[in-house]
Amino acid sequence: MLASTIGRAAPAAARAPMSSRVAPVAVRRGRGLVARCFASAAEVKIAIEGMMCDGCSGRIEKVLKGMDTVKSVHVNLEGKSATVELTKGDAASPEAKAAAAALVDTINSLGFEAKLAQ
């Protein structure tokens, strides 16, 4: 869908000033498209030791997705890590720090060794 609009004029919503738009998906600049994202949620990276198979990573992902503070989760078995997008707050907020600590504690309670990645 995005490629089909490259040669055409931008829709009226895309031409509107930034103050009247909430969060554009992509903005046209010159010949290419530049993706924009106005994230209001914090992203937490967690290093996880002890995952041996897809079942391990799937279990962690399923449990974390069930938490109220989690918007999305991606567990990388080969990279031994998880990237979690929290539902609210920026990374420096007290809520995000408390949620990150809860994520680490939850993963540890599943029998893995987790810590916040640097």
Side-chain angles (χ1 to χ4, degrees), residues 1-99:
M1 180 178 150
L2 200 53
S4 65
T5 62
I6 291 177
R8 300 180 194 159
R15 290 190 307 257
M18 275 309 268
S19 60
S20 66
R21 288 185 282 155
V22 176
V25 175
V27 175
R28 187 178 172 154
R29 286 215 179 126
R31 294 179 181 222
L33 293 173
V34 177
R36 285 201 176 171
C37 177
F38 298 105
S40 61
E43 187 174 276
V44 177
K45 295 193 185 253
I46 302 171
I48 305 170
E49 291 294 326
M51 291 189 296
M52 306 300 268
C53 63
D54 288 334
C56 296
S57 60
R59 181 173 178 218
I60 293 170
E61 197 165 310
K62 181 179 179 180
V63 169
L64 294 183
K65 281 183 180 177
M67 297 178 72
D68 292 338
T69 57
V70 174
K71 183 176 181 180
S72 68
V73 180
H74 175 72
V75 178
N76 184 341
L77 176 62
E78 292 178 7
K80 297 181 180 181
S81 66
T83 304
V84 182
E85 185 179 359
L86 302 176
T87 54
K88 56 186 168 187
D90 61 9
S93 73
E95 296 90 10
K97 290 179 181 180

